Amino acid sequence: MKRGILERWRAELPVTERTPMLSLQEGDTPLLAVPRLAQWVGVADLHIKFEGANPTGSFKDRGMVVAVAKALEDDARAVLCASTGNTAASAAAYAAAANIQAVVLLPEGKVAAGKLAQAVMYGAHVVTVRGNFDDALDVARAASDAHDVALVNSVNPFRIEGQTTSAYEICDAMRAAPDVLALPVGNGGNITAYWLGFQRAVERHGVATTPRIIGGQAAGAAPFVRGHAVAIPETVATAIRIGNPATWRPAMDAASQSGGMIGEVSDTEILDAWRAIARLTGTFCEPASAASVAMLRKAVADGTVSHDERCVCVLTGNGLKDADLVIGEMKSPLVIDPDATALARALRW
Ligand code: F0G
């Protein structure tokens, strides 16, 4: 049987005798060789790490299982987070599994319907904040300071600890670190976690090298690229619609110390990559996740990454979460009478 993060990586995580072995069997996600997408990106060797295969459909589950287990260990009354959607879905699921209350603060509008549906079904208190994600995070921080509730945003160090495990899985599966790892960047937590994980893989597991880490931001919500907060972040990739990232310095360090960078891609580039990933690999990710592939493609085009480097793109969330966007993609469907001849005619066979 598949083991969850806490059991599988117990020695690497802040697990004590008192930590409950909470699990929804998160982690151990597919690492797929994708030669046709590699060609589209412009490299010889590309893998995708499909984090959308986690129990709630995003990478958040790796960190959330640790954060909620530690909250239980500390006898917290409830867990609280602000979220563009995925953190909320994950917090709600693990809170349900652990029988603890979850309160999730969502920005008004712009949360993908699938994510909202998850939070509601898992039984979280869903609260809409009149403002964007950054405003909601301010409220969550102040409320967790004032009350006996555990803040489970990625400013919670246990979240980062749990999210390091994907780097170990990649090194295990490839028997080495890749040359380049590309991922989307929003609040800055995940890029921080990967860099920590790859450094530990070298220190503790005898892995020889660390990858250059390349972060992709949406151009309309790219504070790391601008070098300052963005007051009104806008992007079709709602998961990374963040103007004032909570984890600033460590995220910048992850990019620079690894020899990588954080760059920006337009919404058009993100959506092109999103379609290409689905059609060339059979993997359906959400738009924010496609920023990894879009960014890598751009980095190859401008010479930042060379054709012969071994690359991994992290696909952070499942495309089914944002079905609304797909409906907009659909051309008018072919409608036929229930008849095979009519089908053949419609398809011009
Ligand atoms: N990809 C997806 C699908 C996300 O949901 C997020 C963040 C990111 C990438 C960026 O990761 O914030 O660690 O840099 N989602 C958060 C949320 C903000 O509330 O679900 P990051």
Side-chain angles (χ1 to χ4, degrees):
M1 199 171 88
K2 192 171 152 180
R3 290 180 292 171
I5 290 294
L6 288 171
E7 205 184 311
R8 169 68 185 88
W9 299 106
R10 186 186 183 109
E12 310 292 337
L13 296 172
V15 173
T16 71
E17 308 262 275
R18 294 192 53 236
T19 314
M21 283 294 109
L22 186 61
S23 167
L24 289 173
Q25 296 192 4
E26 60 289 324
D28 197 16
T29 54
L31 183 73
L32 303 167
V34 286
R36 283 196 294 145
L37 187 66
Q39 200 172 18
W40 187 79
V41 166
V43 293
D45 185 341
L46 177 64
H47 286 74
I48 52 179
K49 178 72 170 161
F50 187 44
E51 290 288 279
N54 274 302
T56 76
S58 87
F59 72 99
K60 306 287 181 180
D61 295 347
R62 293 180 184 274
M64 197 57 72
V65 69
V66 184
V68 174
K70 295 304 274 188
L72 288 176
E73 188 178 332
D74 294 343
D75 297 322
R77 208 155 49 86
V79 296
L80 169 69
C81 67
S83 178
T84 56
N86 281 326
T87 300
S90 188
Y94 284 89
N99 193 21
I100 183 174
Q101 181 62 244
V103 180
V104 304
L105 308 184
L106 303 179
E108 202 167 26
K110 310 278 173 120
V111 171
K115 300 175 187 178
L116 181 58
Q118 288 179 288
V120 170
M121 277 307 287
Y122 295 133
H125 270 309
V126 178
V127 181
T128 297
V129 175
R130 283 188 212 100
N132 61 25
F133 168 82
D134 305 303
D135 301 317
L137 184 55
D138 287 344
V139 175
R141 291 177 115 152
S144 70
D145 285 345
H147 303 277
D148 180 24
V149 294
L151 183 66
V152 294
N153 279 103
S154 57
V155 290
N156 177 327
F158 298 128
R159 282 276 313 279
I160 302 294
E161 289 293 326
Q163 286 172 211
T164 59
T165 57
S166 183
Y168 307 148
E169 288 178 16
I170 291 170
C171 293
D172 273 5
M174 298 178 81
R175 300 183 189 284
D179 298 317
V180 173
L181 180 106
L183 81 174
V185 174
N187 218 14
N190 210 28
I191 189 171
T192 302
Y194 270 94
W195 179 228
L196 195 59
F198 282 116
Q199 287 174 290
R200 286 184 185 164
V202 169
E203 289 158 18
R204 302 179 185 176
H205 307 163
V207 172
T209 59
T210 54
R212 291 198 287 143
I213 300 187
I214 294 195
Q217 294 221 277
F224 287 110
V225 182
R226 304 279 168 269
H228 55 78
V230 172
I232 307 173
E234 265 318 332
T235 170
V236 66
T238 53
I240 52 171
R241 190 169 159 265
I242 294 173
N244 189 15
T247 306
W248 185 277
R249 195 69 255 165
M252 293 294 261
D253 288 349
S256 61
Q257 289 173 7
S258 72
M261 55 87 153
I262 299 177
E264 64 183 298
V265 282
S266 68
D267 278 5
T268 305
E269 289 169 317
I270 288 174
L271 293 177
D272 283 350
W274 177 63
R275 294 183 197 100
I277 295 162
R279 279 158 210 195
L280 300 176
T281 77
T283 307
F284 183 24
C285 68
E286 61 177 289
S289 308
S292 61
V293 171
M295 192 66 233
L296 181 63
R297 188 172 194 238
K298 194 169 169 184
V300 172
D302 71 16
T304 306
V305 170
S306 64
H307 173 77
D308 58 355
E309 292 188 276
R310 287 191 91 186
C311 300
V312 172
C313 284
V314 183
L315 301 185
T316 45
N318 196 309
L320 290 170
K321 286 169 174 278
D322 204 351
D324 290 351
L325 197 67
V326 184
I327 307 304
E329 286 279 296
M330 236 167 38
K331 301 188 197 82
S332 52
L334 292 173
V335 181
I336 58 161
D337 290 328
D339 169 85
T341 318
L343 175 65
R345 206 179 312 123
L347 293 176
R348 295 182 214 281
W349 276 352

